[in-house]
Structures are given as structure tokens and as C-alpha cells.
Amino acid sequence: GQLRSNSAVPSSTFSISTPSTKAKNAQWDFYAQLQFNTSGANFVDVYLVSEQSDLLSTTNNGYFVRIGGTPDEISLYKMTAGVASVLINGTDGVTNRSNNLLRIKIIRDANNLWSLELDASGGTNYILEGTATDNSFSTSSFFGIRIQQSTATFFNKHFFDDIYAGDIMTEKDPPVLSS
């Protein structure tokens, strides 16, 4: 099954989080389906690194991927004491569709180099959206999803699956039988 939004409150922000200490030398990837055209009033923030479990907190620190927003893009942000600033500015117009099937992969290596990759068809043919170096926050307590929605037209139309937050997965040759 998939994780689906379930708030029927118009013009609201709601979230879900789970403990996660992955913050450095880490990879995050997930599938998201947004069955609507994103906007400044309808977007999703996926918190890769969060100091607090309450993703609506105005004092939180961490990093998140915004899906949507006014430019209809996938971008990486840093949240510092509740103030968001962009680290990787994704391609505008990507989520300017009535049905968005997305697979997003983020890697932060040991040198604090972040990379943001996207397959805008939901598969694994990733395209690099950009890179940035930032080491503002090196620990995490939570991973989570924060949703901003406007009218009833957007209720229950956010789906998430195949969420991974862990060590960096490397492409390796399969094992070979030696005897």
C-alpha cells in the first residue's frame, strides 16, 4: 500500500514524521504521486533531516525537498530556525501537470556535497537537478512529510511509496559464484 494524505481541512498544513538519525553520508529516495497541478498554496515538503518531530514548527532546523510551490519545481532547501533558503533550485514547470509521478533521490556525501536527482515519470532514469555544498546541520532526529493544501479539490491526492533513508547505495557488480 501507499501512504496517502487524509486531511479534509481546507487552507491547511499538516504533517507526519518518524524518528530518523540519517543526516550525513546518506541517501534518501522516494516515490511521490501528486494528482494535481502544484502551486504556492499546494505543495509538499519532504523533510530529509529535521531537528523536531513537529514539521510545522516555526523554529525547526533541517533540510527538505519541496515538490511544487509557485515555480512548480523540485528543489532542496535548508531550514534554519524556521526560515527556508534554497540550496538546489530545480527546473521550473516540472510539476505543472494534473498528475505528477515522481521519483526523487538525494545524496549527501561525507564532504557535505548534496545532489538532487529526479525522474519526472516515476521511474529510475534520474536526471541531476543540481548539487550544493552545505554543512549547517550534521545530525537529525526525524524524517517526515509536510503538506500544504488549499481547497477540497486537493484533498487525499498526495501519495508516497518506496521511501528510503539510509546509507548511500552504490552500484556494485552482482556476486559471482566462485565454486
Side-chain angles (χ1 to χ4, degrees), residues 30 43-50 55 60-67 74-80 82-88 106 114 116 143-146:
F30 56 91
F43 59 88
V44 174
D45 292 341
V46 177
Y47 275 81
L48 313 172
V49 170
S50 180
L55 304 181
N60 200 12
N61 291 314
Y63 298 96
F64 66 88
V65 172
R66 176 158 292 168
I67 305 170
I74 316 278
S75 295
L76 178 68
Y77 283 80
K78 170 174 59 173
M79 178 71 78
T80 308
V83 178
S85 57
V86 69
L87 292 177
I88 299 173
I106 306 93
W114 293 81
L116 172 63
F143 171 94
I145 300 168
R146 176 183 182 270

Short mmCIF file of all heavy atoms in Angstrom, two decimals, residues 30 43-50 55 60-67 74-80 82-88 106 114 116 143-146:
data_model
loop_
_atom_site.label_atom_id
_atom_site.label_comp_id
_atom_site.label_asym_id
_atom_site.label_seq_id
_atom_site.Cartn_x
_atom_site.Cartn_y
_atom_site.Cartn_z
N PHE A 30 12.49 8.38 -2.74
CA PHE A 30 11.07 8.08 -2.55
C PHE A 30 10.31 8.31 -3.84
O PHE A 30 10.77 9.03 -4.73
CB PHE A 30 10.48 8.93 -1.42
CG PHE A 30 10.65 10.41 -1.60
CD1 PHE A 30 9.70 11.17 -2.25
CD2 PHE A 30 11.79 11.05 -1.12
CE1 PHE A 30 9.87 12.52 -2.43
CE2 PHE A 30 11.97 12.41 -1.29
CZ PHE A 30 11.00 13.14 -1.95
N PHE A 43 1.58 22.31 -2.16
CA PHE A 43 2.92 21.75 -2.34
C PHE A 43 3.23 20.79 -1.20
O PHE A 43 2.48 20.69 -0.23
CB PHE A 43 3.98 22.85 -2.44
CG PHE A 43 4.05 23.75 -1.23
CD1 PHE A 43 4.85 23.42 -0.14
CD2 PHE A 43 3.33 24.93 -1.20
CE1 PHE A 43 4.91 24.25 0.97
CE2 PHE A 43 3.39 25.77 -0.09
CZ PHE A 43 4.19 25.43 0.99
N VAL A 44 4.34 20.08 -1.34
CA VAL A 44 4.78 19.11 -0.35
C VAL A 44 6.24 19.38 0.00
O VAL A 44 7.06 19.62 -0.89
CB VAL A 44 4.65 17.67 -0.90
CG1 VAL A 44 5.25 16.67 0.07
CG2 VAL A 44 3.20 17.34 -1.21
N ASP A 45 6.55 19.34 1.30
CA ASP A 45 7.93 19.41 1.78
C ASP A 45 8.27 18.07 2.41
O ASP A 45 7.63 17.65 3.37
CB ASP A 45 8.12 20.52 2.82
CG ASP A 45 7.96 21.92 2.24
OD1 ASP A 45 8.06 22.07 1.01
OD2 ASP A 45 7.73 22.86 3.02
N VAL A 46 9.26 17.38 1.84
CA VAL A 46 9.72 16.12 2.40
C VAL A 46 10.99 16.42 3.20
O VAL A 46 12.02 16.78 2.63
CB VAL A 46 9.99 15.07 1.30
CG1 VAL A 46 10.53 13.78 1.91
CG2 VAL A 46 8.71 14.80 0.50
N TYR A 47 10.87 16.31 4.53
CA TYR A 47 11.99 16.60 5.42
C TYR A 47 12.93 15.40 5.49
O TYR A 47 12.56 14.37 6.02
CB TYR A 47 11.49 16.97 6.81
CG TYR A 47 11.14 18.42 6.94
CD1 TYR A 47 9.92 18.90 6.47
CD2 TYR A 47 12.04 19.33 7.49
CE1 TYR A 47 9.60 20.25 6.56
CE2 TYR A 47 11.72 20.67 7.58
CZ TYR A 47 10.51 21.13 7.12
OH TYR A 47 10.20 22.45 7.20
N LEU A 48 14.13 15.56 4.95
CA LEU A 48 15.15 14.54 5.00
C LEU A 48 15.80 14.54 6.37
O LEU A 48 16.08 13.49 6.95
CB LEU A 48 16.21 14.80 3.93
CG LEU A 48 15.68 15.14 2.53
CD1 LEU A 48 16.82 15.57 1.63
CD2 LEU A 48 14.90 13.97 1.97
N VAL A 49 16.06 15.73 6.87
CA VAL A 49 16.72 15.97 8.15
C VAL A 49 15.86 16.97 8.90
O VAL A 49 15.59 18.06 8.39
CB VAL A 49 18.14 16.54 7.94
CG1 VAL A 49 18.76 17.01 9.23
CG2 VAL A 49 19.03 15.52 7.24
N SER A 50 15.43 16.60 10.10
CA SER A 50 14.63 17.53 10.91
C SER A 50 15.03 17.40 12.37
O SER A 50 15.15 16.29 12.89
CB SER A 50 13.14 17.24 10.76
OG SER A 50 12.37 18.14 11.54
N LEU A 55 6.82 19.18 12.13
CA LEU A 55 7.33 19.82 10.92
C LEU A 55 6.66 21.15 10.64
O LEU A 55 7.03 21.85 9.69
CB LEU A 55 7.16 18.87 9.72
CG LEU A 55 7.81 17.49 9.89
CD1 LEU A 55 7.60 16.67 8.63
CD2 LEU A 55 9.28 17.61 10.23
N ASN A 60 12.15 25.19 13.60
CA ASN A 60 12.82 23.95 13.20
C ASN A 60 14.09 24.21 12.38
O ASN A 60 14.22 25.23 11.70
CB ASN A 60 11.85 23.08 12.38
CG ASN A 60 12.27 21.63 12.35
OD1 ASN A 60 13.15 21.19 13.08
ND2 ASN A 60 11.64 20.87 11.48
N ASN A 61 15.01 23.27 12.47
CA ASN A 61 16.23 23.25 11.66
C ASN A 61 16.27 21.94 10.87
O ASN A 61 15.86 20.90 11.39
CB ASN A 61 17.48 23.30 12.55
CG ASN A 61 17.64 24.63 13.24
OD1 ASN A 61 17.50 25.69 12.63
ND2 ASN A 61 17.91 24.59 14.54
N GLY A 62 16.78 22.00 9.64
CA GLY A 62 16.93 20.78 8.86
C GLY A 62 17.02 21.05 7.37
O GLY A 62 17.32 22.17 6.93
N TYR A 63 16.74 20.01 6.60
CA TYR A 63 16.78 20.08 5.14
C TYR A 63 15.53 19.41 4.60
O TYR A 63 15.10 18.37 5.12
CB TYR A 63 18.00 19.34 4.58
CG TYR A 63 19.32 19.90 5.03
CD1 TYR A 63 20.00 19.36 6.13
CD2 TYR A 63 19.92 20.98 4.37
CE1 TYR A 63 21.23 19.87 6.55
CE2 TYR A 63 21.13 21.49 4.78
CZ TYR A 63 21.79 20.93 5.87
OH TYR A 63 23.00 21.44 6.26
N PHE A 64 14.96 19.98 3.55
CA PHE A 64 13.78 19.36 2.94
C PHE A 64 13.77 19.57 1.44
O PHE A 64 14.41 20.47 0.91
CB PHE A 64 12.48 19.89 3.56
CG PHE A 64 12.18 21.35 3.32
CD1 PHE A 64 11.49 21.76 2.19
CD2 PHE A 64 12.58 22.31 4.24
CE1 PHE A 64 11.21 23.10 1.97
CE2 PHE A 64 12.29 23.66 4.03
CZ PHE A 64 11.61 24.05 2.90
N VAL A 65 13.04 18.68 0.76
CA VAL A 65 12.81 18.79 -0.67
C VAL A 65 11.41 19.33 -0.84
O VAL A 65 10.45 18.77 -0.31
CB VAL A 65 12.93 17.42 -1.37
CG1 VAL A 65 12.50 17.52 -2.83
CG2 VAL A 65 14.35 16.90 -1.27
N ARG A 66 11.26 20.44 -1.56
CA ARG A 66 9.93 20.98 -1.87
C ARG A 66 9.51 20.47 -3.24
O ARG A 66 10.23 20.63 -4.22
CB ARG A 66 9.91 22.49 -1.83
CG ARG A 66 8.53 23.04 -2.26
CD ARG A 66 8.28 24.44 -1.77
NE ARG A 66 8.13 24.43 -0.32
CZ ARG A 66 8.13 25.54 0.42
NH1 ARG A 66 8.27 26.72 -0.14
NH2 ARG A 66 8.00 25.45 1.74
N ILE A 67 8.32 19.88 -3.27
CA ILE A 67 7.70 19.44 -4.52
C ILE A 67 6.59 20.44 -4.81
O ILE A 67 5.59 20.48 -4.09
CB ILE A 67 7.12 18.02 -4.39
CG1 ILE A 67 8.20 17.03 -3.92
CG2 ILE A 67 6.52 17.57 -5.72
CD1 ILE A 67 7.65 15.67 -3.54
N ILE A 74 11.05 20.95 -8.20
CA ILE A 74 11.57 20.09 -7.13
C ILE A 74 12.89 20.72 -6.72
O ILE A 74 13.82 20.78 -7.52
CB ILE A 74 11.84 18.65 -7.64
CG1 ILE A 74 10.72 18.13 -8.51
CG2 ILE A 74 12.22 17.75 -6.47
CD1 ILE A 74 9.53 17.57 -7.86
N SER A 75 12.97 21.21 -5.48
CA SER A 75 14.18 21.91 -5.02
C SER A 75 14.56 21.46 -3.62
O SER A 75 13.71 21.01 -2.85
CB SER A 75 13.94 23.42 -5.01
OG SER A 75 13.73 23.90 -6.33
N LEU A 76 15.85 21.59 -3.29
CA LEU A 76 16.35 21.28 -1.96
C LEU A 76 16.50 22.57 -1.17
O LEU A 76 17.09 23.54 -1.67
CB LEU A 76 17.70 20.56 -2.04
CG LEU A 76 18.35 20.21 -0.69
CD1 LEU A 76 17.54 19.14 0.04
CD2 LEU A 76 19.79 19.76 -0.89
N TYR A 77 15.97 22.57 0.04
CA TYR A 77 16.02 23.73 0.92
C TYR A 77 16.70 23.39 2.23
O TYR A 77 16.68 22.25 2.68
CB TYR A 77 14.60 24.20 1.27
CG TYR A 77 13.90 24.96 0.18
CD1 TYR A 77 13.30 24.29 -0.87
CD2 TYR A 77 13.80 26.35 0.23
CE1 TYR A 77 12.62 24.98 -1.88
CE2 TYR A 77 13.13 27.04 -0.76
CZ TYR A 77 12.55 26.36 -1.80
OH TYR A 77 11.89 27.05 -2.79
N LYS A 78 17.25 24.43 2.85
CA LYS A 78 17.74 24.35 4.22
C LYS A 78 16.77 25.16 5.07
O LYS A 78 16.35 26.24 4.67
CB LYS A 78 19.15 24.95 4.30
CG LYS A 78 19.66 25.13 5.73
CD LYS A 78 21.10 25.58 5.78
CE LYS A 78 21.34 26.89 5.09
NZ LYS A 78 22.72 27.39 5.30
N MET A 79 16.39 24.62 6.23
CA MET A 79 15.52 25.33 7.17
C MET A 79 16.37 25.70 8.38
O MET A 79 16.92 24.83 9.04
CB MET A 79 14.36 24.42 7.59
CG MET A 79 13.42 25.04 8.61
SD MET A 79 12.41 26.36 7.95
CE MET A 79 11.17 25.44 7.06
N THR A 80 16.53 27.00 8.63
CA THR A 80 17.32 27.49 9.75
C THR A 80 16.44 28.31 10.67
O THR A 80 15.97 29.38 10.27
CB THR A 80 18.50 28.35 9.25
OG1 THR A 80 19.22 27.63 8.25
CG2 THR A 80 19.42 28.74 10.39
N GLY A 82 13.43 27.99 11.36
CA GLY A 82 12.13 28.25 10.74
C GLY A 82 12.17 29.06 9.46
O GLY A 82 11.13 29.30 8.86
N VAL A 83 13.36 29.46 9.01
CA VAL A 83 13.48 30.25 7.79
C VAL A 83 14.09 29.38 6.69
O VAL A 83 15.19 28.85 6.84
CB VAL A 83 14.36 31.50 8.01
CG1 VAL A 83 14.52 32.29 6.71
CG2 VAL A 83 13.76 32.38 9.10
N ALA A 84 13.34 29.21 5.58
CA ALA A 84 13.79 28.36 4.48
C ALA A 84 14.64 29.13 3.48
O ALA A 84 14.34 30.28 3.16
CB ALA A 84 12.58 27.77 3.76
N SER A 85 15.71 28.50 3.02
CA SER A 85 16.54 29.07 1.95
C SER A 85 16.90 27.96 0.98
O SER A 85 17.18 26.83 1.38
CB SER A 85 17.79 29.73 2.53
OG SER A 85 18.54 28.81 3.28
N VAL A 86 16.89 28.28 -0.30
CA VAL A 86 17.11 27.27 -1.34
C VAL A 86 18.60 26.93 -1.47
O VAL A 86 19.45 27.82 -1.44
CB VAL A 86 16.51 27.71 -2.69
CG1 VAL A 86 17.26 28.88 -3.29
CG2 VAL A 86 16.43 26.56 -3.66
N LEU A 87 18.89 25.62 -1.57
CA LEU A 87 20.26 25.16 -1.80
C LEU A 87 20.41 24.69 -3.25
O LEU A 87 21.42 24.97 -3.88
CB LEU A 87 20.61 24.00 -0.86
CG LEU A 87 20.73 24.33 0.62
CD1 LEU A 87 21.02 23.07 1.42
CD2 LEU A 87 21.84 25.36 0.86
N ILE A 88 19.43 23.93 -3.74
CA ILE A 88 19.43 23.48 -5.13
C ILE A 88 18.09 23.89 -5.73
O ILE A 88 17.04 23.45 -5.27
CB ILE A 88 19.62 21.95 -5.24
CG1 ILE A 88 20.97 21.53 -4.64
CG2 ILE A 88 19.51 21.51 -6.70
CD1 ILE A 88 21.18 20.03 -4.56
N ILE A 106 18.12 11.94 -3.26
CA ILE A 106 19.02 12.94 -2.71
C ILE A 106 20.16 12.20 -2.03
O ILE A 106 19.93 11.24 -1.29
CB ILE A 106 18.33 13.86 -1.67
CG1 ILE A 106 17.07 14.49 -2.27
CG2 ILE A 106 19.28 14.94 -1.18
CD1 ILE A 106 15.82 13.72 -2.01
N TRP A 114 25.71 17.79 -1.56
CA TRP A 114 24.35 17.33 -1.77
C TRP A 114 24.09 17.22 -3.27
O TRP A 114 24.52 18.08 -4.05
CB TRP A 114 23.35 18.34 -1.20
CG TRP A 114 23.36 18.49 0.28
CD1 TRP A 114 24.24 19.24 1.02
CD2 TRP A 114 22.46 17.91 1.21
NE1 TRP A 114 23.92 19.14 2.35
CE2 TRP A 114 22.82 18.35 2.50
CE3 TRP A 114 21.35 17.07 1.07
CZ2 TRP A 114 22.13 17.96 3.64
CZ3 TRP A 114 20.66 16.69 2.22
CH2 TRP A 114 21.05 17.13 3.48
N LEU A 116 20.71 16.35 -5.98
CA LEU A 116 19.26 16.16 -6.11
C LEU A 116 19.00 15.61 -7.50
O LEU A 116 19.37 16.24 -8.49
CB LEU A 116 18.52 17.48 -5.90
CG LEU A 116 17.03 17.52 -6.19
CD1 LEU A 116 16.27 16.58 -5.27
CD2 LEU A 116 16.51 18.95 -6.04
N PHE A 143 12.54 12.27 10.12
CA PHE A 143 12.24 12.34 8.69
C PHE A 143 10.73 12.53 8.62
O PHE A 143 10.00 11.98 9.45
CB PHE A 143 12.62 11.03 8.00
CG PHE A 143 12.16 10.92 6.56
CD1 PHE A 143 13.00 11.28 5.53
CD2 PHE A 143 10.88 10.47 6.26
CE1 PHE A 143 12.57 11.19 4.21
CE2 PHE A 143 10.45 10.37 4.95
CZ PHE A 143 11.31 10.73 3.92
N GLY A 144 10.25 13.29 7.65
CA GLY A 144 8.80 13.43 7.57
C GLY A 144 8.31 14.14 6.33
O GLY A 144 9.10 14.57 5.49
N ILE A 145 7.00 14.22 6.24
CA ILE A 145 6.33 14.84 5.09
C ILE A 145 5.37 15.89 5.60
O ILE A 145 4.56 15.62 6.49
CB ILE A 145 5.58 13.76 4.27
CG1 ILE A 145 6.56 12.70 3.75
CG2 ILE A 145 4.82 14.41 3.10
CD1 ILE A 145 5.89 11.46 3.18
N ARG A 146 5.48 17.08 5.02
CA ARG A 146 4.62 18.22 5.39
C ARG A 146 3.86 18.63 4.13
O ARG A 146 4.46 18.83 3.07
CB ARG A 146 5.51 19.36 5.87
CG ARG A 146 4.83 20.65 6.21
CD ARG A 146 5.90 21.68 6.59
NE ARG A 146 5.34 22.94 6.99
CZ ARG A 146 5.09 23.95 6.17
NH1 ARG A 146 5.34 23.83 4.87
NH2 ARG A 146 4.58 25.08 6.61
#
